[in-house]
Amino acid sequence: MAIRVPSRLLFIDGEWREPVLKKRIPVINPSSEETIGHIPAATAEDVEIAVGAARRALTRNKGSDWALAPGAVRAKYLRAIAAKITERKSELAKLEAIDCGKPLEEAAWDMDDVAGCFEYYADLAEGLDAKQKAPVSLPMESFKSYVLKEPIGVVALITPWNYPLLMATWKVAPALAAGCTAILKPSELASETCLELAEVCREVGLPPGVLNILTGLGPEAGAPLASHPQVDKIAFTGSSATGSKIMTAAAQHVKPVSLELGGKSPIVVFEDVDLDKAAEWTIFGCFWTNGQICSATSRLIVHESIAAQFIEKLVQWSRNIKISDPLEEGCRLGPVVSGGQYEKILKFISTAKSEGATILCGGDRPEHLKKGFFLEPAIITDVTTSMQIWREEVFGPVLCIKTFGTEDEAIELANDTHYGLGAAVLSNDLERCERLTKAFQAGIVWINCSQPCFCQAPWGGNKRSGFGRELGEWGMDNYLSVKQVTQYISSDPWGWYTAPSKL
């Protein structure tokens, strides 16, 4: 199936624009390892132009065109974007699949979520006006006070390659709903659908400069964007190492950041579960999206009384996964995103083996796929808590396993990580699930499932998984500044100082 990869430029101030240095980056199809196109490579010079465009859009006509416009005005554009995404769903899903390796059915699901997210934040944009001037109860009758919520300003949105358009939307939709203007910098490993979002914005007539999209390398485009003094906030999803660098850059100008970083999330399976149902959720929690999920429940903690039987089930389920070109019908595991990521995952697996772990199944190239960055999903046992495979995020289809005997032991193992994004518990004892929910040191907890995500519910982590919350009303709050307004309403003088004698 030949899919046309559009040749795009940078999107700045409502127009397609050649990068100042005219550099481009090849687009590699991870299924074939072939170059299928090129994307523009922005540099600091382009960042300067884009930030200027966003700043002008924020203040145009004293903000009345966008930032201070009624929420219904912004909602109209968000709904128009959602409609265009839905209209182009099939084309965008295929483009996503060949760009990042995501199975086509998953990519199509992503496009539904993208449209739904824009619709959701259109509703919140409309509701924002009614929440303005929310009164504050005061203890003194001579004053009245209220709160205004205002757009934080020009925001830099730096997004990853595992959900290219969806992760971008998680930031773009609430930022625009709040009245901010934005510069989106997607990952250079998967930018195609984000450039198509630019075309959608152009088609719906989004005011120039409201959303600017710069593709390029992190050091050349992301770093100057994060450190730019005219950027008022940075929202980043990606690795903890890069998140730390962004915090450092933001600190120079004391600007706010929200960070959704790595994870090494646990899934705790008790002895009272249905083994097949639990096995499918465990496999889905780690191997969905080719295992490239920040919230992947990649540390299985299973009760010792069912461990042998459950692990056997996992191997059976794992070997039944269809690994293929993501465009093939029924594909459930495509290639990882790049050659670099492929080699990194293989190194994790070989290190686990050298440290004494057992590679129970997978971890190699599938025999029927001679090209592409394909990897059989790996299940690893005989793991200790000091091993790299237990402690570090792999970002690939690799599940490591430990057993437990008591509930307290399970909790201790679950929380034995620098990360705190997600955690899951599978058990028919809902009181026990409630206890673990409270004990988990994580921002997201799943009970009898793993990985479901809804744009209405908050998303984010603790510890080295970052801070701030995306999605839901919390997602829009990320892009709003709270202003307190207090008025003296008494006709009496304040009376603190003795009045000067009248002449």
Side-chain angles (χ1 to χ4, degrees), residues 81-104:
I81 291 169
K84 281 284 184 185
I85 295 291
T86 299
E87 181 184 310
R88 296 182 58 185
K89 172 185 171 180
S90 176
E91 166 203 348
L92 291 170
K94 290 171 185 173
L95 195 57
E96 199 82 290
I98 64 170
D99 195 21
C100 73
K102 184 185 292 271
L104 182 59

Side-chain angles (χ1 to χ4, degrees), residues 139-438:
M140 297 177 69
E141 293 182 357
S142 52
F143 295 91
K144 72 174 183 178
S145 185
Y146 61 85
V147 168
L148 295 175
K149 290 188 173 183
E150 300 176 335
I152 207 164
V154 173
V155 296
L157 313 175
I158 303 175
T159 55
W161 43 258
N162 56 336
Y163 289 84
L165 187 54
L166 184 57
M167 293 291 99
T169 299
W170 281 18
K171 291 174 171 50
V172 169
L176 269 51
C180 293
T181 58
I183 303 98
L184 169 66
K185 193 283 179 191
S187 168
E188 68 275 10
L189 293 178
S191 296
E192 289 290 348
T193 51
C194 288
L195 289 171
E196 294 313 293
L197 174 62
E199 177 62 13
V200 166
C201 291
R202 195 188 65 79
E203 289 175 1
V204 304
L206 189 72
V210 167
L211 178 63
N212 307 275
I213 300 179
L214 303 180
T215 54
L217 301 173
E220 294 181 6
L225 182 58
S227 62
H228 199 289
Q230 291 298 308
V231 168
D232 299 305
K233 179 203 166 75
I234 308 163
F236 171 76
T237 297
S239 72
S240 297
T242 303
S244 180
K245 291 177 183 176
I246 284 172
M247 281 185 73
T248 301
Q252 309 313 304
H253 301 285
V254 198
K255 69 179 67 174
V257 297
S258 50
L259 303 173
E260 203 265 84
L261 306 176
K264 193 71 180 175
S265 301
I267 181 166
V268 179
V269 178
F270 282 92
E271 70 279 9
D272 60 346
V273 297
D274 177 292
L275 293 183
D276 279 303
K277 288 179 183 177
E280 185 178 12
W281 277 117
T282 301
I283 292 294
F284 183 83
C286 189
F287 300 156
W288 164 251
T289 309
N290 306 337
Q292 299 168 134
I293 326 172
C294 52
S295 59
T297 41
S298 57
R299 291 187 301 132
L300 168 61
I301 301 163
V302 59
H303 194 275
E304 59 193 14
S305 67
I306 61 165
Q309 192 179 0
F310 188 64
I311 291 169
E312 187 180 336
K313 287 278 188 188
L314 289 177
V315 171
Q316 292 170 358
W317 277 84
S318 177
R319 286 178 172 158
N320 201 43
I321 293 172
K322 180 176 180 177
I323 308 170
S324 70
D325 184 299
L327 298 180
E328 276 192 28
E329 187 175 351
C331 175
R332 288 295 178 265
L333 194 77
V336 297
V337 73
S338 68
Q341 188 66 16
Y342 182 72
E343 293 301 327
K344 178 185 170 186
I345 296 167
L346 289 177
K347 183 71 165 57
F348 267 108
I349 294 169
S350 67
T351 299
K353 190 172 182 179
S354 69
E355 289 180 344
T358 299
I359 315 304
L360 198 61
C361 70
D364 294 312
R365 170 180 292 279
E367 289 184 7
H368 66 289
L369 294 165
K370 306 304 180 188
K371 275 189 175 181
F373 309 124
F374 292 95
L375 193 68
E376 290 179 330
I379 296 176
I380 302 179
T381 57
D382 300 318
V383 173
T384 66
T385 57
S386 63
M387 288 181 181
Q388 180 197 47
I389 200 69
W390 181 261
R391 307 213 67 80
E392 295 185 24
E393 182 178 42
V394 176
F395 224 68
V398 179
L399 178 69
C400 58
I401 303 174
K402 279 194 69 60
T403 62
F404 72 93
T406 68
E407 187 174 309
D408 285 346
E409 186 184 356
I411 292 167
E412 184 178 350
L413 286 168
N415 291 333
D416 179 31
T417 173
H418 294 305
Y419 297 107
L421 184 51
V425 54
L426 308 186
S427 173
N428 289 325
D429 183 341
L430 295 184
E431 288 185 5
R432 176 159 59 192
C433 291
E434 183 71 18
R435 290 193 298 272
L436 266 76
T437 294
K438 292 176 180 177

Side-chain angles (χ1 to χ4, degrees), residues 23-42:
K23 295 169 70 175
R24 294 186 75 81
I25 300 167
V27 176
I28 308 297
N29 181 340
S31 295
S32 65
E33 304 181 42
E34 295 174 353
T35 299
I36 55 173
H38 293 81
I39 57 170

